[in-house]
Amino acid sequence: MMGKSMSRKQKPKRTTRRAAGKTPWLDKTLRRLPDYVSDGIYCLDANGRFIFVNSSIMERSGIPLEKLYGSHFLDIIQPEYHRLARENFEHVMNGKDGIPYELSYKRPDGQLHMIEVHSKPILHGGKIVGLIGIVRNITERKVAERALKVSEINLSRLVKEKTAEFLERNMEMAMEIKEHKRTESALRKRIRELKAALSIHLQTPEKSAPAGKGSENRTTALMHSRKKRATH
């Protein structure tokens, strides 16, 4: 059973070799396969030094090949990411797949690029001899995320400002309404007082009537006196 199981596992490998042998161009294509990939591919030795990079890494990093080969990965990336990158390297060198993470590096022209890193251990003769990694440039995505975050912050601040203005205006309107109600109440009270005063004035009798009657009596008496004189 063990022999049959091992032979089954080896079949795909032998088939691949036969296919490559029948198509000579395939071997050359497979060797150049990393350069056909848009993402960056690299290999580090057990000491963390570059021993292979594909054309995508050379083109995007702008770092000459002779400088990359033999350089330690910490010499390339920004200092604030050293701890994270070192921990990931040690994790992979212990035989575990790396946890995807992000870091940045500086190009020779001073531009900072953000990349997303995925890595796996390289096994040879049952031993871990290095690391193979794939990096994806996420600079544009990060720029877009930062722009979106700034827009959200600005929008949030604008909403807060407008909300504060709205609440302040509502408070002013409430105070104005309260003042109008107080003025209206005072006006109604004054109207009631005027109506009451007018009603009292209309109900009070005039005191000038007796004076008029006495004057009329005096006039009558005077006329009688004149008549008597004329008779005599």
Short mmCIF file of all heavy atoms in Angstrom, two decimals, residues 157-213:
data_model
loop_
_atom_site.label_atom_id
_atom_site.label_comp_id
_atom_site.label_asym_id
_atom_site.label_seq_id
_atom_site.Cartn_x
_atom_site.Cartn_y
_atom_site.Cartn_z
N ARG A 157 -16.66 66.48 10.27
CA ARG A 157 -16.51 67.80 10.88
C ARG A 157 -17.57 68.77 10.37
O ARG A 157 -18.15 69.55 11.13
CB ARG A 157 -15.12 68.36 10.59
CG ARG A 157 -14.85 69.71 11.25
CD ARG A 157 -13.42 70.16 11.12
NE ARG A 157 -13.04 70.34 9.74
CZ ARG A 157 -12.18 69.57 9.10
NH1 ARG A 157 -11.61 68.56 9.72
NH2 ARG A 157 -11.87 69.80 7.83
N LEU A 158 -17.85 68.68 9.05
CA LEU A 158 -18.87 69.55 8.47
C LEU A 158 -20.25 69.26 9.06
O LEU A 158 -21.01 70.18 9.36
CB LEU A 158 -18.89 69.37 6.95
CG LEU A 158 -19.89 70.24 6.17
CD1 LEU A 158 -19.56 71.71 6.37
CD2 LEU A 158 -19.86 69.87 4.68
N VAL A 159 -20.55 67.98 9.22
CA VAL A 159 -21.85 67.59 9.80
C VAL A 159 -21.97 68.12 11.22
O VAL A 159 -23.02 68.64 11.63
CB VAL A 159 -22.01 66.06 9.77
CG1 VAL A 159 -23.22 65.63 10.61
CG2 VAL A 159 -22.17 65.56 8.34
N LYS A 160 -20.86 68.00 11.99
CA LYS A 160 -20.88 68.49 13.37
C LYS A 160 -21.08 70.00 13.40
O LYS A 160 -21.85 70.52 14.22
CB LYS A 160 -19.58 68.12 14.08
CG LYS A 160 -19.46 66.63 14.40
CD LYS A 160 -18.15 66.34 15.11
CE LYS A 160 -18.03 64.85 15.43
NZ LYS A 160 -16.74 64.55 16.11
N GLU A 161 -20.37 70.71 12.51
CA GLU A 161 -20.50 72.17 12.47
C GLU A 161 -21.92 72.58 12.09
O GLU A 161 -22.50 73.47 12.73
CB GLU A 161 -19.50 72.75 11.46
CG GLU A 161 -18.04 72.63 11.90
CD GLU A 161 -17.08 73.11 10.83
OE1 GLU A 161 -17.55 73.45 9.72
OE2 GLU A 161 -15.87 73.16 11.09
N LYS A 162 -22.46 71.93 11.06
CA LYS A 162 -23.81 72.28 10.62
C LYS A 162 -24.85 71.91 11.68
O LYS A 162 -25.84 72.63 11.87
CB LYS A 162 -24.13 71.58 9.29
CG LYS A 162 -23.30 72.07 8.12
CD LYS A 162 -23.48 73.56 7.90
CE LYS A 162 -22.68 74.06 6.72
NZ LYS A 162 -22.81 75.54 6.55
N THR A 163 -24.61 70.79 12.36
CA THR A 163 -25.53 70.38 13.43
C THR A 163 -25.50 71.39 14.56
O THR A 163 -26.55 71.77 15.11
CB THR A 163 -25.15 68.99 13.96
OG1 THR A 163 -25.20 68.04 12.89
CG2 THR A 163 -26.10 68.55 15.06
N ALA A 164 -24.28 71.85 14.92
CA ALA A 164 -24.15 72.86 15.97
C ALA A 164 -24.85 74.16 15.57
O ALA A 164 -25.55 74.78 16.38
CB ALA A 164 -22.67 73.12 16.27
N GLU A 165 -24.66 74.55 14.30
CA GLU A 165 -25.33 75.76 13.81
C GLU A 165 -26.84 75.60 13.84
O GLU A 165 -27.57 76.53 14.22
CB GLU A 165 -24.87 76.07 12.38
CG GLU A 165 -23.41 76.51 12.27
CD GLU A 165 -22.99 76.73 10.84
OE1 GLU A 165 -23.86 76.60 9.94
OE2 GLU A 165 -21.80 77.01 10.60
N PHE A 166 -27.31 74.43 13.46
CA PHE A 166 -28.75 74.16 13.46
C PHE A 166 -29.32 74.22 14.87
O PHE A 166 -30.37 74.83 15.11
CB PHE A 166 -29.01 72.78 12.84
CG PHE A 166 -30.44 72.35 12.86
CD1 PHE A 166 -31.35 72.89 11.96
CD2 PHE A 166 -30.88 71.41 13.78
CE1 PHE A 166 -32.68 72.49 11.98
CE2 PHE A 166 -32.21 71.01 13.80
CZ PHE A 166 -33.11 71.55 12.90
N LEU A 167 -28.60 73.59 15.82
CA LEU A 167 -29.08 73.61 17.21
C LEU A 167 -29.05 75.03 17.78
O LEU A 167 -29.97 75.43 18.51
CB LEU A 167 -28.19 72.68 18.05
CG LEU A 167 -28.30 71.18 17.74
CD1 LEU A 167 -27.30 70.41 18.58
CD2 LEU A 167 -29.71 70.67 17.98
N GLU A 168 -28.00 75.78 17.43
CA GLU A 168 -27.92 77.16 17.91
C GLU A 168 -29.05 78.00 17.34
O GLU A 168 -29.66 78.80 18.06
CB GLU A 168 -26.56 77.75 17.50
CG GLU A 168 -26.33 79.17 18.02
CD GLU A 168 -24.98 79.72 17.62
OE1 GLU A 168 -24.22 78.99 16.96
OE2 GLU A 168 -24.69 80.87 17.98
N ARG A 169 -29.33 77.83 16.05
CA ARG A 169 -30.42 78.57 15.43
C ARG A 169 -31.77 78.17 16.02
O ARG A 169 -32.64 79.03 16.25
CB ARG A 169 -30.43 78.31 13.92
CG ARG A 169 -31.50 79.07 13.16
CD ARG A 169 -31.42 80.55 13.40
NE ARG A 169 -32.52 81.29 12.77
CZ ARG A 169 -32.92 82.47 13.14
NH1 ARG A 169 -32.32 83.10 14.15
NH2 ARG A 169 -33.92 83.06 12.51
N ASN A 170 -31.94 76.89 16.30
CA ASN A 170 -33.18 76.43 16.93
C ASN A 170 -33.36 77.05 18.31
O ASN A 170 -34.47 77.43 18.70
CB ASN A 170 -33.17 74.91 17.05
CG ASN A 170 -33.68 74.24 15.79
OD1 ASN A 170 -34.03 74.90 14.83
ND2 ASN A 170 -33.71 72.91 15.80
N MET A 171 -32.26 77.16 19.05
CA MET A 171 -32.32 77.77 20.37
C MET A 171 -32.69 79.24 20.26
O MET A 171 -33.51 79.75 21.05
CB MET A 171 -30.97 77.61 21.08
CG MET A 171 -30.96 78.06 22.52
SD MET A 171 -29.37 77.72 23.34
CE MET A 171 -29.37 75.93 23.25
N GLU A 172 -32.09 79.92 19.28
CA GLU A 172 -32.41 81.34 19.07
C GLU A 172 -33.89 81.50 18.71
O GLU A 172 -34.57 82.41 19.21
CB GLU A 172 -31.53 81.92 17.97
CG GLU A 172 -30.06 82.04 18.35
CD GLU A 172 -29.21 82.53 17.19
OE1 GLU A 172 -29.76 82.66 16.07
OE2 GLU A 172 -28.01 82.75 17.40
N MET A 173 -34.39 80.62 17.84
CA MET A 173 -35.79 80.69 17.44
C MET A 173 -36.71 80.41 18.63
O MET A 173 -37.76 81.06 18.78
CB MET A 173 -36.07 79.69 16.31
CG MET A 173 -35.42 80.06 14.98
SD MET A 173 -35.73 78.84 13.69
CE MET A 173 -37.50 78.97 13.52
N ALA A 174 -36.29 79.45 19.46
CA ALA A 174 -37.11 79.14 20.65
C ALA A 174 -37.17 80.34 21.59
O ALA A 174 -38.24 80.66 22.15
CB ALA A 174 -36.52 77.93 21.38
N MET A 175 -36.04 81.03 21.74
CA MET A 175 -36.02 82.22 22.59
C MET A 175 -36.87 83.35 21.99
O MET A 175 -37.57 84.07 22.71
CB MET A 175 -34.58 82.71 22.79
CG MET A 175 -33.72 81.73 23.60
SD MET A 175 -32.00 82.28 23.77
CE MET A 175 -32.22 83.74 24.76
N GLU A 176 -36.80 83.48 20.66
CA GLU A 176 -37.61 84.49 19.99
C GLU A 176 -39.10 84.19 20.15
O GLU A 176 -39.90 85.10 20.42
CB GLU A 176 -37.25 84.54 18.50
CG GLU A 176 -35.87 85.14 18.22
CD GLU A 176 -35.53 85.11 16.74
OE1 GLU A 176 -36.39 84.66 15.96
OE2 GLU A 176 -34.41 85.52 16.38
N ILE A 177 -39.47 82.93 20.01
CA ILE A 177 -40.87 82.54 20.18
C ILE A 177 -41.33 82.80 21.61
O ILE A 177 -42.44 83.30 21.85
CB ILE A 177 -41.05 81.04 19.81
CG1 ILE A 177 -40.83 80.84 18.30
CG2 ILE A 177 -42.43 80.54 20.23
CD1 ILE A 177 -40.81 79.40 17.88
N LYS A 178 -40.45 82.48 22.56
CA LYS A 178 -40.78 82.72 23.96
C LYS A 178 -40.98 84.21 24.23
O LYS A 178 -41.92 84.62 24.93
CB LYS A 178 -39.67 82.16 24.85
CG LYS A 178 -39.97 82.22 26.32
CD LYS A 178 -38.86 81.57 27.12
CE LYS A 178 -39.17 81.60 28.61
NZ LYS A 178 -38.07 80.96 29.40
N GLU A 179 -40.11 85.04 23.64
CA GLU A 179 -40.22 86.48 23.81
C GLU A 179 -41.50 87.02 23.16
O GLU A 179 -42.19 87.88 23.72
CB GLU A 179 -39.00 87.16 23.20
CG GLU A 179 -38.96 88.66 23.37
CD GLU A 179 -38.87 89.09 24.81
OE1 GLU A 179 -38.35 88.30 25.64
OE2 GLU A 179 -39.32 90.22 25.12
N HIS A 180 -41.81 86.47 21.98
CA HIS A 180 -43.05 86.89 21.31
C HIS A 180 -44.28 86.52 22.14
O HIS A 180 -45.23 87.31 22.24
CB HIS A 180 -43.14 86.23 19.93
CG HIS A 180 -42.15 86.79 18.95
ND1 HIS A 180 -41.84 86.17 17.77
CD2 HIS A 180 -41.40 87.92 18.99
CE1 HIS A 180 -40.95 86.88 17.11
NE2 HIS A 180 -40.66 87.95 17.84
N LYS A 181 -44.25 85.34 22.73
CA LYS A 181 -45.37 84.92 23.56
C LYS A 181 -45.50 85.82 24.79
O LYS A 181 -46.62 86.17 25.20
CB LYS A 181 -45.19 83.46 23.99
CG LYS A 181 -45.42 82.46 22.87
CD LYS A 181 -45.29 81.04 23.39
CE LYS A 181 -45.60 80.04 22.28
NZ LYS A 181 -45.47 78.64 22.75
N ARG A 182 -44.35 86.19 25.39
CA ARG A 182 -44.39 87.06 26.56
C ARG A 182 -44.95 88.44 26.17
O ARG A 182 -45.76 89.02 26.89
CB ARG A 182 -42.99 87.19 27.14
CG ARG A 182 -42.96 88.01 28.43
CD ARG A 182 -41.68 87.82 29.23
NE ARG A 182 -40.52 88.09 28.42
CZ ARG A 182 -39.62 87.18 28.06
NH1 ARG A 182 -39.79 85.92 28.44
NH2 ARG A 182 -38.58 87.52 27.34
N THR A 183 -44.52 88.96 25.04
CA THR A 183 -45.01 90.25 24.56
C THR A 183 -46.50 90.18 24.25
O THR A 183 -47.28 91.09 24.59
CB THR A 183 -44.25 90.67 23.29
OG1 THR A 183 -42.85 90.72 23.58
CG2 THR A 183 -44.70 92.03 22.79
N GLU A 184 -46.92 89.09 23.61
CA GLU A 184 -48.34 88.91 23.28
C GLU A 184 -49.19 88.81 24.54
O GLU A 184 -50.28 89.39 24.63
CB GLU A 184 -48.50 87.65 22.44
CG GLU A 184 -49.92 87.41 21.96
CD GLU A 184 -50.05 86.15 21.11
OE1 GLU A 184 -49.02 85.48 20.90
OE2 GLU A 184 -51.17 85.85 20.68
N SER A 185 -48.66 88.11 25.56
CA SER A 185 -49.38 87.98 26.82
C SER A 185 -49.54 89.33 27.51
O SER A 185 -50.62 89.68 28.02
CB SER A 185 -48.64 87.01 27.74
OG SER A 185 -49.29 86.91 28.98
N ALA A 186 -48.44 90.13 27.49
CA ALA A 186 -48.51 91.47 28.10
C ALA A 186 -49.49 92.36 27.35
O ALA A 186 -50.25 93.15 27.95
CB ALA A 186 -47.11 92.09 28.11
N LEU A 187 -49.52 92.24 26.02
CA LEU A 187 -50.43 93.04 25.21
C LEU A 187 -51.88 92.65 25.49
O LEU A 187 -52.76 93.53 25.62
CB LEU A 187 -50.10 92.85 23.72
CG LEU A 187 -50.94 93.64 22.72
CD1 LEU A 187 -50.78 95.15 22.98
CD2 LEU A 187 -50.54 93.32 21.28
N ARG A 188 -52.16 91.39 25.60
CA ARG A 188 -53.51 90.95 25.90
C ARG A 188 -53.95 91.45 27.28
O ARG A 188 -55.11 91.85 27.49
CB ARG A 188 -53.59 89.42 25.84
CG ARG A 188 -53.53 88.87 24.43
CD ARG A 188 -53.60 87.36 24.45
NE ARG A 188 -53.58 86.82 23.09
CZ ARG A 188 -53.56 85.51 22.80
NH1 ARG A 188 -53.54 84.63 23.80
NH2 ARG A 188 -53.56 85.11 21.55
N LYS A 189 -53.02 91.40 28.26
CA LYS A 189 -53.34 91.89 29.59
C LYS A 189 -53.68 93.37 29.56
O LYS A 189 -54.63 93.82 30.20
CB LYS A 189 -52.14 91.63 30.51
CG LYS A 189 -52.38 92.08 31.94
CD LYS A 189 -51.16 91.78 32.81
CE LYS A 189 -51.40 92.25 34.24
NZ LYS A 189 -50.21 92.00 35.09
N ARG A 190 -52.91 94.15 28.77
CA ARG A 190 -53.16 95.59 28.65
C ARG A 190 -54.51 95.86 28.00
O ARG A 190 -55.25 96.77 28.42
CB ARG A 190 -52.04 96.23 27.84
CG ARG A 190 -52.17 97.74 27.68
CD ARG A 190 -52.23 98.44 29.01
NE ARG A 190 -52.35 99.88 28.88
CZ ARG A 190 -52.75 100.69 29.84
NH1 ARG A 190 -53.07 100.20 31.05
NH2 ARG A 190 -52.82 102.00 29.64
N ILE A 191 -54.83 95.06 26.99
CA ILE A 191 -56.13 95.22 26.31
C ILE A 191 -57.27 94.95 27.29
O ILE A 191 -58.28 95.67 27.32
CB ILE A 191 -56.22 94.30 25.09
CG1 ILE A 191 -55.24 94.78 23.99
CG2 ILE A 191 -57.65 94.24 24.54
CD1 ILE A 191 -55.15 93.84 22.81
N ARG A 192 -57.11 93.89 28.11
CA ARG A 192 -58.14 93.57 29.10
C ARG A 192 -58.31 94.72 30.10
O ARG A 192 -59.41 95.06 30.50
CB ARG A 192 -57.79 92.27 29.82
CG ARG A 192 -57.98 91.02 28.99
CD ARG A 192 -58.00 89.77 29.84
NE ARG A 192 -56.75 89.61 30.59
CZ ARG A 192 -55.70 88.93 30.13
NH1 ARG A 192 -55.75 88.37 28.92
NH2 ARG A 192 -54.63 88.83 30.86
N GLU A 193 -57.17 95.29 30.52
CA GLU A 193 -57.24 96.41 31.46
C GLU A 193 -57.94 97.62 30.85
O GLU A 193 -58.75 98.29 31.51
CB GLU A 193 -55.82 96.79 31.89
CG GLU A 193 -55.13 95.75 32.77
CD GLU A 193 -53.70 96.11 33.05
OE1 GLU A 193 -53.19 97.07 32.42
OE2 GLU A 193 -53.06 95.43 33.89
N LEU A 194 -57.66 97.92 29.58
CA LEU A 194 -58.30 99.04 28.90
C LEU A 194 -59.80 98.80 28.74
O LEU A 194 -60.62 99.72 28.92
CB LEU A 194 -57.65 99.27 27.54
CG LEU A 194 -56.21 99.82 27.56
CD1 LEU A 194 -55.63 99.87 26.16
CD2 LEU A 194 -56.20 101.22 28.20
N LYS A 195 -60.15 97.55 28.40
CA LYS A 195 -61.57 97.22 28.26
C LYS A 195 -62.29 97.40 29.60
O LYS A 195 -63.41 97.91 29.67
CB LYS A 195 -61.72 95.79 27.76
CG LYS A 195 -61.42 95.63 26.28
CD LYS A 195 -61.66 94.19 25.85
CE LYS A 195 -61.45 94.03 24.34
NZ LYS A 195 -61.69 92.63 23.91
N ALA A 196 -61.64 96.95 30.68
CA ALA A 196 -62.26 97.07 32.01
C ALA A 196 -62.43 98.54 32.39
O ALA A 196 -63.48 98.96 32.92
CB ALA A 196 -61.40 96.34 33.05
N ALA A 197 -61.41 99.36 32.12
CA ALA A 197 -61.49 100.79 32.44
C ALA A 197 -62.58 101.46 31.64
O ALA A 197 -63.34 102.30 32.15
CB ALA A 197 -60.13 101.45 32.17
N LEU A 198 -62.72 101.12 30.38
CA LEU A 198 -63.74 101.71 29.52
C LEU A 198 -65.14 101.31 29.99
O LEU A 198 -66.07 102.13 29.99
CB LEU A 198 -63.51 101.27 28.07
CG LEU A 198 -64.51 101.80 27.03
CD1 LEU A 198 -64.44 103.33 27.00
CD2 LEU A 198 -64.19 101.23 25.65
N SER A 199 -65.27 100.06 30.40
CA SER A 199 -66.57 99.57 30.88
C SER A 199 -66.99 100.33 32.13
O SER A 199 -68.15 100.73 32.28
CB SER A 199 -66.49 98.07 31.16
OG SER A 199 -67.70 97.60 31.69
N ILE A 200 -66.04 100.56 33.06
CA ILE A 200 -66.35 101.31 34.29
C ILE A 200 -66.74 102.74 33.96
O ILE A 200 -67.68 103.31 34.53
CB ILE A 200 -65.13 101.27 35.22
CG1 ILE A 200 -64.90 99.83 35.72
CG2 ILE A 200 -65.30 102.23 36.40
CD1 ILE A 200 -63.63 99.66 36.50
N HIS A 201 -66.07 103.34 33.01
CA HIS A 201 -66.35 104.72 32.62
C HIS A 201 -67.75 104.86 32.03
O HIS A 201 -68.47 105.83 32.31
CB HIS A 201 -65.30 105.18 31.61
CG HIS A 201 -65.55 106.57 31.10
ND1 HIS A 201 -65.35 107.71 31.90
CD2 HIS A 201 -65.99 107.02 29.89
CE1 HIS A 201 -65.64 108.79 31.18
NE2 HIS A 201 -66.04 108.39 29.96
N LEU A 202 -68.16 103.89 31.22
CA LEU A 202 -69.47 103.93 30.59
C LEU A 202 -70.59 103.71 31.59
O LEU A 202 -71.69 104.22 31.44
CB LEU A 202 -69.55 102.90 29.46
CG LEU A 202 -68.64 103.16 28.25
CD1 LEU A 202 -68.74 102.01 27.26
CD2 LEU A 202 -69.03 104.48 27.57
N GLN A 203 -70.32 102.95 32.66
CA GLN A 203 -71.36 102.63 33.64
C GLN A 203 -71.50 103.72 34.69
O GLN A 203 -72.50 103.79 35.40
CB GLN A 203 -71.02 101.30 34.33
CG GLN A 203 -71.12 100.11 33.40
CD GLN A 203 -70.69 98.82 34.09
OE1 GLN A 203 -70.42 98.82 35.28
NE2 GLN A 203 -70.65 97.74 33.32
N THR A 204 -70.61 104.72 34.88
CA THR A 204 -70.66 105.78 35.90
C THR A 204 -71.56 106.92 35.42
O THR A 204 -71.35 107.47 34.34
CB THR A 204 -69.25 106.32 36.16
OG1 THR A 204 -68.42 105.24 36.58
CG2 THR A 204 -69.29 107.40 37.25
N PRO A 205 -72.70 107.41 36.23
CA PRO A 205 -73.62 108.50 35.81
C PRO A 205 -72.91 109.85 35.86
O PRO A 205 -72.01 110.06 36.67
CB PRO A 205 -74.77 108.44 36.83
CG PRO A 205 -74.14 107.79 38.03
CD PRO A 205 -73.12 106.82 37.52
N GLU A 206 -73.36 110.81 34.99
CA GLU A 206 -72.76 112.14 34.94
C GLU A 206 -73.25 113.00 36.11
O GLU A 206 -74.42 113.00 36.45
CB GLU A 206 -73.10 112.83 33.62
CG GLU A 206 -72.54 112.12 32.41
CD GLU A 206 -72.84 112.90 31.14
OE1 GLU A 206 -73.53 113.93 31.22
OE2 GLU A 206 -72.38 112.45 30.06
N LYS A 207 -72.36 113.79 36.76
CA LYS A 207 -72.69 114.64 37.91
C LYS A 207 -73.03 116.07 37.50
O LYS A 207 -73.35 116.90 38.30
CB LYS A 207 -71.52 114.66 38.87
CG LYS A 207 -71.24 113.31 39.48
CD LYS A 207 -70.07 113.40 40.44
CE LYS A 207 -69.79 112.05 41.06
NZ LYS A 207 -68.67 112.11 42.02
N SER A 208 -73.01 116.41 36.25
CA SER A 208 -73.24 117.80 35.79
C SER A 208 -74.72 118.11 35.61
O SER A 208 -75.11 119.24 35.43
CB SER A 208 -72.54 118.01 34.45
OG SER A 208 -72.98 117.08 33.50
N ALA A 209 -75.61 117.09 35.69
CA ALA A 209 -77.04 117.31 35.46
C ALA A 209 -77.67 118.24 36.49
O ALA A 209 -78.38 119.17 36.13
CB ALA A 209 -77.79 115.97 35.44
N PRO A 210 -77.47 118.16 37.83
CA PRO A 210 -78.09 119.08 38.81
C PRO A 210 -77.67 120.51 38.57
O PRO A 210 -78.47 121.43 38.72
CB PRO A 210 -77.57 118.56 40.14
CG PRO A 210 -77.30 117.11 39.89
CD PRO A 210 -76.79 117.06 38.50
N ALA A 211 -76.47 120.73 38.24
CA ALA A 211 -76.00 122.11 37.99
C ALA A 211 -76.79 122.73 36.85
O ALA A 211 -77.18 123.88 36.89
CB ALA A 211 -74.51 122.08 37.68
N GLY A 212 -77.15 122.00 35.87
CA GLY A 212 -77.93 122.51 34.73
C GLY A 212 -79.35 122.86 35.14
O GLY A 212 -79.91 123.86 34.73
N LYS A 213 -79.92 122.04 36.02
CA LYS A 213 -81.29 122.28 36.48
C LYS A 213 -81.38 123.54 37.33
O LYS A 213 -82.30 124.34 37.21
CB LYS A 213 -81.77 121.07 37.26
CG LYS A 213 -83.22 121.15 37.68
CD LYS A 213 -83.66 119.88 38.35
CE LYS A 213 -85.13 119.96 38.75
NZ LYS A 213 -85.58 118.72 39.42
#
